[in-house]
C-alpha cells in the first residue's frame, strides 16, 4: 500500500477499478470513525482529497462506478449509527409472481387452502407495488413516537428524526384513532424530485444519483435530519403492525381508515374478485407506469377480508394471503467479453458472463449468470431447448441481458446476426478452476438424468468451497456477524498469518484470542480496519456465542437444508444434543431415528439423506465439535404459544378432512406450537382422523395414541 499514487489520467482501466475499490473501503472506514465519535485518523483536507480522487476516477471511467461508491451515498451514514428498534410485529416480505398463470395459481391456492370452491366469492385488493423503502411508524396516544426501517424484518433502524421531516406523514392522529397504531408503508422519492435533484447536482459539477429508490434510501440514512428534509420524500400507507383496536375488518377498509387519519394512500388501489379482473387491472397499471411520478415494480394482490388473512397465515417469510405480481424485467444488448467460473459453497460451478458494461433499467450491469453448462448450450433443466438451434452463448457474442428487480442479471439469448468469426465456443471445464479436482455432473438416481449442475469433487480440499462456506456461516440468516462481509472473509481466509487466518467457522471465534496472544500482526494496523472497527467486529462475534438452534443448524451449510428446514429440525429436536444424536442414529437409514426424521412434515428423503451424510463425515464432526467449544446453540423454544393446550405435542392428520383443509390444519396447529408429523409413531400425541382414515388409524390404536375427530380437535384448540 506504500506505492505512490498514480495520476488519474495515467490509470489503466484495471488500475482504476482497483483504486475505486480501495477508495470506497478507505472512505467508508474514515466515515465510520468520524460518525462514531471516535478519533479521526486523517485531517479533513486528507479526507476531501480521497473523495476528490474517487470522483475524478469515476468521471474518467463512468462504467466503473461501484454501487458502494462514496459518490452514490448521500452523506454516507454507515450502518450501525442509528439505534435499533424491534418491531412489535415482524415486517415480512412478499412472494413474487411473474405470469398470468402464476396469478391464477395464487388465487386458486387461496381457495384451496380455505377449502372453498373457486367461485369468485373471495375479494382481493390490487395495489401498486411502490419501489421505495418500507417503514413502520408507531403512534402512541395519537402522537408519532418512533419510525423504523424494515431492517431484517425483526429489528430495523430508528429513523424517527428523519421521518418527522416528511410533510406527508402526520405527526398527530385524530381523536378517533386507537391508542396504539403502527402504520406501515413505503417511503419514496418522486421521479420529478429525483430529476430536479440530479439537475442541481450536475449544475454544481457533482456526481449524480443512480435512481430514486437509492437516493431515497440514502436520504433517510442521514444523521443530519436537515438533509433529509431538503430531499422531499413522500409516503404511501398500505399495511400495519400493532393496533390496539382495528378500525376495519378488511384490507381496503384499513387503508380507507389510514386515509381518514391523514395518510397518503395510493389512488390506483382496487377491490377485485376474478382472476380476469385482476389481470386486466395489472395491464392497465402497466400502461400507466411510465406516466406515474413514482417508480413501481409490480402490483400487490391481498385477500381483502382480514379473518381470511388470519386463517391463511404465513409461510416462513411471506403471507399466504398476498403476492407481488412483478412487471417484466428490463432488457438490453451487450457483448460477452469472457466467461468465468464461480465455485459455490456446495461446489457448484456457475459460469458467469463478464459483459461490456451496459445500463439496464438505470443500473450498470457488468456480470450476468449463465446458470450451468446446458444453459450455455441452450438446453433447459428438463433437457428441453430453451433457445433456437445454434444459439449457444459464445465469448465475443452480442447477447440480450435481462435484469428483474434485485435478481442477478441473466443472459437470455444470442443475437446470431452479430456473431463474428472471432467468437469462441465455450468449453465447460472438467476440473475445478480453484482446486483442480474433478468436476462432475451427478446422476439423479430417480430419473437417471444428468444433474444440470457441474460440481467440484474437492470438498474440504477446495478453498473456494471452504471460503463460500464461511460466507454462508456469517450471512444474515445464519450467524449474522456484522463486520464480516465478503471482503473481510476473503481477507481473513487468504491470510497466511496464524494470528489472522480464518479457514473454518470456529476460527472466527478464536480470532480475538489469537490477536491478543500475538505481538506481531495487529488487525487494527491493517488497511481497512482501524481500532473502532476491530472492537466492533469482536463485539459482533462475541454477541453470537449464544445462538438460536435453527440459525446454528442453517449455518452448518448442510446441502438441501435451508432456513425453513433448519427451523423444522430445531423445533422437532429441541436441543442440539438431541438433534446430533438423532442424526447419528439415523445413519443406517432405517429404524426409529430414520423414520422419525422422515416423518417430520416438510422433510423428504433427499434432505434426510443429505443430513445423515453430513453427520457421517469425520471432518464435519471435527469442525462442529470445535465450534461447540466456542458457541452454545440455544434450545429451540418448544412453542410460540406456550399457553396453548397443544404446545409441544405431536399431531398427525389423516383421512379426508371436512372441517378444514390439510394445509390449514397444519398451519393452525403449528401456530399453536404443535408439531405436525406425516406418520404415526410412539411419539405421536394425537391422531386427528377424518372419514375414511385407514392404516394410520390402525397404527395409532396399536401403539395407544389418542385418536380424535375433527370436532374434538377444534374443541381442544378452542375453535
Ligand atoms: S405489503 C406482509 N403492499 O414490497 C406484507 N408491500 O416485496 C407486507 N411494497 O417489503 C407488504 N408496495 O416494502 C405491501 N402495496 C404494497 C407494497 C409493498 C411496495 C414493498 C414493501 C415490502 C416489499 C415486499
Amino acid at each position: 500500500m506504500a506505492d505512490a499514487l498514480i495520476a488519474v489520467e495515467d490509470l489503466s482501466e484495471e488500475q482504476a477499478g482497483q483504486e475505486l475499490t480501495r477508495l470506497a473501503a478507505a472512505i467508508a472506514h474514515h466515515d465510520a470513525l468520524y460518525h462514531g465519535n471516535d478519533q479521526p485518523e486523517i485531517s479533513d483536507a486528507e479526507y476531501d482529497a480521497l473523495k476528490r480522487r474517487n470522483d475524478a476516477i469515476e468521471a474518467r471511467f463512468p462504467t466503473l462506478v461501484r454501487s458502494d461508491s462514496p459518490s452514490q451515498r448521500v452523506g454516507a451514514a454507515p450502518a450501525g449509527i442509528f439505534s435499533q428498534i424491534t418491531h412489535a410485529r415482524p415486517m415480512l416480505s412478499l412472494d413474487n409472481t411473474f405470469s398470468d398463470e402464476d396469478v391464477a395459481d395464487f388465487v386458486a391456492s387461496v381457495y384451496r387452502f380455505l377449502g372453498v370452491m373457486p367461485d369468485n366469492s373471495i375479494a382481493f385488493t390490487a395495489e401498486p407495488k411502490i419501489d421505495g423503502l418500507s417503514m413502520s411508524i408507531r403512534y402512541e396516544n395519537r402522537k408519532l413516537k418512533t419510525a423504523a426501517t424494515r431492517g431484517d424484518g425483526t429489528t430495523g433502524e430508528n429513523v424517527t428524526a428523519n421521518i418527522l421531516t416528511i410533510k406527508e406523514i402526520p405527526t398527530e392522529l385524530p381523536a378517533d384513532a386507537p391508542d396504539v397504531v403502527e402504520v406501515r408503508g413505503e417511503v419514496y422519492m418522486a421521479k420529478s424530485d429525483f430529476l430536479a435533484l440530479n439537475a442541481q447536482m450536475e449544475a454544481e459539477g457533482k456526481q449524480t444519483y443512480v435512481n430514486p429508490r437509492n437516493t431515497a434510501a440514502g436520504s433517510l440514512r442521514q444523521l443530519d435530519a436537515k438533509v433529509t428534509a431538503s430531499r422531499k420524500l413522500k409516503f404511501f400507507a398500505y399495511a400495519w403492525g400493532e393496533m390496539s383496536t382495528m378500525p376495519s375488518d378488511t384490507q381496503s377498509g384499513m387503508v380507507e381508515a389510514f386515509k381518514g387519519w391523514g395518510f397518503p394512500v395510493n389512488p390506483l388501489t382496487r377491490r377485485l374478485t376474478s382472476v380476469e379482473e385482476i389481470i386486466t387491472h395489472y395491464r392497465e397499471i402497466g400502461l400507466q407506469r411510465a406516466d406515474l411520478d413514482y417508480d413501481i415494480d409490480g402490483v400487490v394482490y391481498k385477500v381483502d377480508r382480514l379473518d381470511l388473512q388470519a386463517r391463511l397465515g404465513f409461510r416462513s417469510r411471506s403471507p399466504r394471503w398476498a403476492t407481488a405480481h412483478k412487471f417484466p424485467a428490463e432488457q438490453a444488448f451487450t457483448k460477452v467479453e469472457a466467461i468465468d467460473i464461480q465455485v459455490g459453497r456446495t461446489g457448484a460451478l456457475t459460469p458467469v458472463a463478464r459483459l461490456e458494461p451496459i445500463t439496464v433499467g438505470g443500473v450498470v450491469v457488468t456480470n450476468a449468470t449463465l446458470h450451468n453448462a446446458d444453459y450455455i448450450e441452450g438446453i433447459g433443466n428438463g433437457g428441453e431447448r430453451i433457445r433456437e438451434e445454434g444459439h449457444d452463448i459464445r465469448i465475443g457474442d452480442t447477447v440480450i441481458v435481462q435484469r428483474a428487480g434485485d435478481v442477478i442479471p441473466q443472459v437470455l439469448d444470442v443475437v446470431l446476426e452479430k456473431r463474428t468469426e472471432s467468437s469462441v465456443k465455450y468449453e465447460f471445464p472438467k476440473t475445478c478452476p480453484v482446486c483442480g479436482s474433478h468436476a462432475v455432473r451427478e446422476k439423479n438416481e430417480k430419473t437417471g438424468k444428468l444433474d444440470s449442475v457441474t460440481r467440484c469433487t474437492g470438498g474440504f480440499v477446495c478453498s473456494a468451497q471452504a471460503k463460500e462456506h464461511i460466507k454462508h456461516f456469517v450471512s444474515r440468516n445464519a450467524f449474522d456477524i456484522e463486520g464480516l462481509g465478503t471482503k473481510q472473509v476473503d481477507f481473513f481466509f487468504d491470510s497466511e498469518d496464524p494470528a489472522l487466518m480464518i479457514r473454518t467457522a470456529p476460527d472466527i471465534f478464536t480470532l480475538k484470542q489469537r490477536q491478543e496472544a500475538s505481538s506481531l500482526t495487529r488487525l487494527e494496523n491493517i488497511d481497512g480496519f482501524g481500532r473502532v472497527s476491530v472492537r466492533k467486529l469482536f463485539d459482533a462475534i462475541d454477541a453470537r456465542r449464544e445462538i438460536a438452534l435453527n440459525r446454528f443448524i442453517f449455518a452448518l451449510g448442510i446441502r438441501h437444508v435451508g432456513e425453513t428446514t433448519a427451523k423444522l429440525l430445531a423445533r422437532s429436536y429441541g436441543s442440539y444434543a438431541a438433534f446430533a444424536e438423532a442424526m447419528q442414529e439415523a445413519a443406517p437409514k432405517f429404524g426409529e431415528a430414520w423414520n422419525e426424521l422422515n416423518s417430520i412434515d416438510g422433510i423428504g428423503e433427499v434432505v434426510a439423506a443429505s443430513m445423515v451424510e453430513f453427520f457421517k463425515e469425520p471432518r464435519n464432526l471435527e469442525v462442529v465439535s470445535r465450534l461447540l467449544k466456542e458457541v452454545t446453540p440455544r434450545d429451540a423454544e418448544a412453542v410460540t404459544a406456550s399457553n396453548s393446550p397443544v404446545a409441544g405435542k405431536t399431531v398427525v392428520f389423516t383421512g379426508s378432512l371436512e372441517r378444514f383443509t390439510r394445509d390449514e390444519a397444519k398451519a393452525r396447529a403449528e401456530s399453536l406450537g404443535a408439531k405436525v408429523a406425516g406418520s404415526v409413531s410412539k411419539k405421536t400425541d394425537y391422531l386427528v382422523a377424518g372419514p375414511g382414515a385407514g392404516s394410520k388409524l390402525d397404527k395409532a390404536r396399536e401403539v395407544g395414541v389418542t385418536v380424535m375427530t375433527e370436532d374434538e380437535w377444534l374443541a381442544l384448540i378452542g375453535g
Side-chain angles (χ1 to χ4, degrees), residues 14 45 68 71 78 119 219 223 251 254 261 382 422 440-441 472 484 492 570 585 601 642 699 711:
E14 193 186 343
D68 64 350
S71 69
D119 56 359
S219 306
L223 281 180
Q251 170 74 28
M254 290 297 287
W261 297 341
S422 59
V440 296
R441 291 177 64 167
H472 166 79
L484 265 187
F492 287 117
E585 286 173 3
D601 219 16
S642 53
K699 173 87 191 273
D711 285 326

Side-chain angles (χ1 to χ4, degrees), residues 396-474:
D397 272 352
T398 297
V399 292
I400 305 172
V401 179
Q402 169 167 297
R403 191 185 67 90
D406 293 337
V407 186
I408 308 168
Q410 55 171 331
V411 172
L412 276 194
D413 205 351
V414 173
V415 186
L416 223 46
E417 304 79 68
K418 297 214 170 173
R419 180 173 281 172
T420 62
E421 292 281 295
S422 59
S423 77
V424 188
K425 195 166 168 64
Y426 184 66
E427 287 273 346
F428 206 90
K430 298 198 165 41
T431 55
C432 170
V434 176
C435 73
S437 302
H438 276 296
V440 296
R441 291 177 64 167
E442 290 162 13
K443 205 181 225 162
N444 183 319
E445 282 172 24
K446 284 202 185 110
T447 59
K449 279 192 192 142
L450 274 188
D451 203 10
S452 53
V453 179
T454 307
R455 258 175 231 285
C456 158
T457 54
F460 294 103
V461 174
C462 181
S463 64
Q465 288 188 47
K467 200 188 233 181
E468 290 309 311
H469 185 263
I470 293 175
K471 289 179 189 168
H472 166 79
F473 186 89
V474 300

Side-chain angles (χ1 to χ4, degrees), residues 91-96 127-135 150 185-186 238-239 297 300 302 314 318-319 321-322 324:
M91 290 182 81
L92 296 148
S93 57
L94 295 169
D95 255 11
N96 291 329
E127 315 166 6
K129 186 169 188 298
I130 317 297
D131 196 8
L133 297 121
S134 48
M135 191 62 55
R150 179 169 182 275
E186 207 83 353
Y238 54 69
D297 56 354
V300 182
K302 300 175 185 168
F314 295 85
S318 57
W321 43 265

Side-chain angles (χ1 to χ4, degrees), residues 47 49 90 112 120 133 178 334 448 615 649:
Y47 178 83
R112 196 178 332 112
N120 292 349
L133 297 121
T334 189
F615 283 93
K649 304 282 192 212

Side-chain angles (χ1 to χ4, degrees), residues 632-700:
T632 313
R634 222 178 304 121
D635 288 356
E637 281 172 31
V639 277
T640 30
S642 53
N643 50 2
S644 121
V646 297
K649 304 282 192 212
T650 301
V651 51
V652 174
F653 294 94
T654 190
S656 56
L657 303 173
E658 292 178 330
R659 299 295 309 271
F660 31 66
T661 62
R662 192 168 298 267
D663 285 344
E664 184 178 5
K666 177 170 179 247
R668 183 82 195 279
E670 283 175 350
S671 74
L672 292 168
K675 294 177 212 163
V676 179
S679 58
V680 175
S681 74
K682 272 183 270 176
K683 296 197 175 157
T684 312
D685 293 292
Y686 303 117
L687 180 85
V688 180
S695 61
K696 286 184 192 168
L697 183 56
D698 298 341
K699 173 87 191 273

